[in-house]
């Protein structure tokens, strides 16, 4: 049984196919890595790459990707809706199989050190790898974006963990760290009133008193003319999917609104679905690691 | 990606540890097989063995097990509550990964032919491998049990598929065949009235007008003083778990009874739980083969 780690690097290029493919090729050409998907958003001008592999393979692919991104992506010319601070903006490592958070923290530190040296890109350790509490949250690190970063790193509390008190002139800086699997989960409502989705989002998210591991906001699905609660589940082992859905149903009822459907965007770990089945079927003493046949093949 | 098939042979010995271990050893010592579990019921005087492996490994293990069972288990001396007709009574093959029903049917025929020759045990092909509709159901084949089998096989419609028109004098006959994964699933009710469980069992099972792929009966859980609907889900891809639970809730409501919990006994395929999560979360356009991360490791 070999350790498997997932990584989801975001690069600051979402339009130029040649550059995107050249970056994705760094994963494709690394032995021991499996490319799962990559999706480019031209308006964000950003590409999200998802792959998995052994710790060694992820380390190799990460360093190669950082080098290629520094070579091809110039942040001084980058325009896009999504906030960004580096040519490769963020590089999370997620334990999938036979791997612990500690394994991913160690990997992120090895990768951070090598990227600073080999790609000349200063590195912030973030999330579970952060060197201080104020540096855990990606949004806090990224605040000011590329344009403000040269000034920001002059402050003691924002010195990069690797690569010195500076930014790369065209590549910026990158955040590298361990985190739990994130599930992008949307809940569609039987209303075209965005206020309802916004109110519910406020109730379920941590930042305004809701669940610990939920980020949420209301958005309109224009093509279906319905409002949606758009959610990032940052740790389903603490805040499970079913609990969020049930609370959304309960709060929507206040408006005579119900859930018309949900969406899992991209990938999700099997255990998030086993949790859900266990809850709704009321299964007593269920042990997926032993009782789910396919777990014996992993 | 290699083909993986599961097999769940039942042997007619549930008390004598030496005999049970000698039989289970035939799986343990076959390269390419993984023993998942084995459970012995002394009152049934029967042991259920679950393992998986490549088609070749399953074939080898099946023949070795049949030889050992013929050598060690004497049906002329067997007493137990569970109906039985052979020293190894039944040998199902279930597709798990990269395997089709057809692969399992072919395997069952190769195994049947070899068991008849090498273990001198006549074989009935059953379920999806059956040579005629009246020979699909295991209970129909087994009717009359070991004691009646020598007489039964004299009838044209009950001539074994392999091994001649006879039984083995101490080993009897064995049923070998392909079938879908079976889920042993129990639903516990908030009542000590067995009649309620029996009435609900009757409603949900095929034999009295219910779901196509459900077998069910009411039983008392004496230690908890509650009634249970005890279910065999014979094909969850046609009749899913959640549908049975929802119908049981609806029918129990007639008596003011509700579901206090359920049990999955032993193993179950991950897709049975994905189906359930998809239903209750109302996930739109969900594709577990692509979206569940661990599916990329299988």
């Amino acid at each position: 049984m070999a350790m498997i780690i997932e990584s989801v690097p975001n690069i600051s290029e979402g339009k130029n196919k040649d550059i995107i493919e050249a970056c994705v090729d760094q994963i494709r050409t690394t032995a021991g890595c499996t490319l799962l998907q990559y999706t480019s958003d031209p308006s964000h001008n950003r590409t999200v790459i998802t792959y998995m592999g052994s710790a060694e393979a992820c380390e190799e692919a990460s360093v190669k990707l950082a080098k290629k991104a520094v070579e091809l992506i110039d942040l001084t010319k980058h325009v896009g809706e999504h906030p960004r601070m580096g040519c490769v903006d963020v590089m999370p490592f997620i334990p999938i199989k036979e791997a612990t958070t500690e394994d991913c923290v160690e990997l992120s530190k090895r990768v951070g050190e090598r990227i600073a040296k080999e790609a000349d890109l200063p590195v912030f350790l973030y999330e579970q790898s952060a060197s201080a509490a104020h540096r855990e949250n990606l949004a806090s690190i990224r605040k000011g974006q590329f344009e403000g970063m040269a000034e920001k790193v002059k402050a003691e509390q924002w010195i990069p963990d690797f690569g010195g008190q500076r930014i790369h002139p065209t590549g910026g800086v990158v955040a590298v760290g361990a985190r739990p699997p994130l599930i992008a989960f949307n809940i569609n409502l039987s209303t075209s009133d965005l206020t309802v989705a916004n109110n519910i989002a406020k109730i379920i998210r941590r930042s305004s008193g809701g669940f610990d591991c939920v980020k949420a906001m209301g958005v309109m699905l224009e093509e279906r003319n319905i409002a949606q609660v758009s959610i990032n589940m940052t740790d389903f082992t603490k805040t499970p999917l079913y609990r969020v859905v049930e609370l959304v149903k309960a709060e929507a009822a206040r408006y005579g609104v119900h859930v018309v459907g949900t969406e899992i965007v991209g990938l999700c770990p099997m255990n998030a679905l086993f949790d859900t089945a266990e809850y709704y079927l009321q299964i007593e003493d269920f042990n997926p690691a032993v009782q789910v046949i396919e777990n014996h093949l992993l």
Side-chain angles (χ1 to χ4, degrees), chain A:
Chain A
M1 292 292 184
M3 185 188 292
I4 297 287
I5 290 168
E6 184 192 12
S7 188
V8 191
N10 290 205
I11 59 169
S12 295
E13 177 59 62
K15 297 174 188 171
N16 184 313
K17 293 260 179 294
D18 291 342
I19 294 176
I20 294 168
E21 291 301 320
C23 288
V24 175
D25 276 345
Q26 306 310 307
I27 314 302
R28 289 193 184 102
T29 59
T30 304
C33 283
T34 305
L35 178 66
L36 296 177
Q37 60 177 26
Y38 62 109
T39 50
S40 300
D41 186 323
S43 66
H44 286 183
N45 201 3
R46 188 178 181 88
T47 297
V48 178
I49 306 168
T50 308
Y51 69 98
M52 61 184 179
S54 64
E56 296 70 29
C58 287
E59 178 180 334
E60 216 46 48
S62 299
V63 174
K64 282 167 64 179
L65 174 62
K67 283 174 161 173
K68 188 53 74 179
V70 165
E71 180 193 332
L72 299 180
I73 300 173
D74 183 351
L75 268 280
T76 64
K77 295 174 183 153
H78 183 273
V79 177
E81 284 170 26
H82 198 289
R84 76 286 177 272
M85 61 183 182
C87 53
V88 51
D89 198 57
V90 57
M91 209 176 249
F93 296 108
I94 303 124
I96 296 296
K97 189 192 122 191
E98 312 276 320
T100 62
T101 297
E102 291 64 42
D103 294 326
C104 289
V105 169
E106 276 176 37
L107 172 61
S108 70
K109 290 180 179 175
R110 286 198 305 276
V111 166
E113 200 169 353
R114 285 189 59 189
I115 285 180
K117 268 190 207 146
E118 301 178 34
D120 194 32
L121 199 62
V123 171
F124 285 99
L125 294 173
Y126 85 119
E127 283 273 352
Q128 294 162 326
S129 304
S131 50
H134 71 279
R135 295 158 74 115
E136 283 173 14
N137 189 285
L138 178 62
S140 306
I141 298 173
R142 197 161 51 194
K143 198 170 178 190
Q145 298 195 49
F146 172 75
E147 288 74 11
M149 204 50 65
E151 186 62 27
K152 182 172 180 174
V153 298
K154 290 181 183 165
E156 178 126 28
Q157 69 269 37
W158 294 115
I159 302 174
D161 291 279
F162 301 104
Q165 196 165 9
R166 54 180 280 275
I167 71 163
H168 185 284
T170 56
V173 295
V174 58
V176 178
R179 67 158 170 79
L182 184 146
I183 305 173
F185 185 58
N186 300 324
I187 300 180
N188 299 329
L189 302 177
S190 66
T191 178
S192 56
D193 184 353
L194 181 59
T195 318
V196 173
N198 278 328
N199 290 350
I200 293 174
K202 212 170 153 184
I203 285 165
I204 64 170
R205 70 185 172 221
R206 184 178 61 176
S207 63
S208 46
F211 290 120
D212 187 31
C213 302
V214 167
K215 297 176 182 177
M217 59 187 224
V219 297
M220 274 303 290
L221 290 194
E222 302 294 349
E223 70 275 24
R224 291 168 66 178
N225 193 31
I226 57 173
Q228 176 186 81
V229 187
S230 178
I231 303 166
N232 271 333
M233 305 281 307
T234 59
D235 190 349
F236 73 88
T237 64
K238 294 183 184 159
T239 307
L241 289 174
Y242 68 81
R243 201 171 295 156
V244 173
V245 168
E246 289 302 314
L247 183 60
V248 168
K249 284 181 185 171
E251 291 292 336
R254 171 197 297 264
Y255 308 97
V257 166
H258 55 267
V259 170
V260 296
T262 69
E263 303 168 7
I264 290 180
V265 184
L267 295 159
C268 101
M270 63 178 183
N271 282 329
L273 301 171
F274 295 159
D275 278 0
T276 293
E278 191 178 350
Y279 169 77
Y280 285 109
L281 295 179
Q282 301 173 245
I283 314 176
E284 301 174 359
D285 302 319
F286 186 54
N287 183 349
V290 172
Q291 291 185 263
V292 173
I293 294 172
E294 287 84 353
N295 261 321
H296 298 274
L297 294 173
L298 291 173

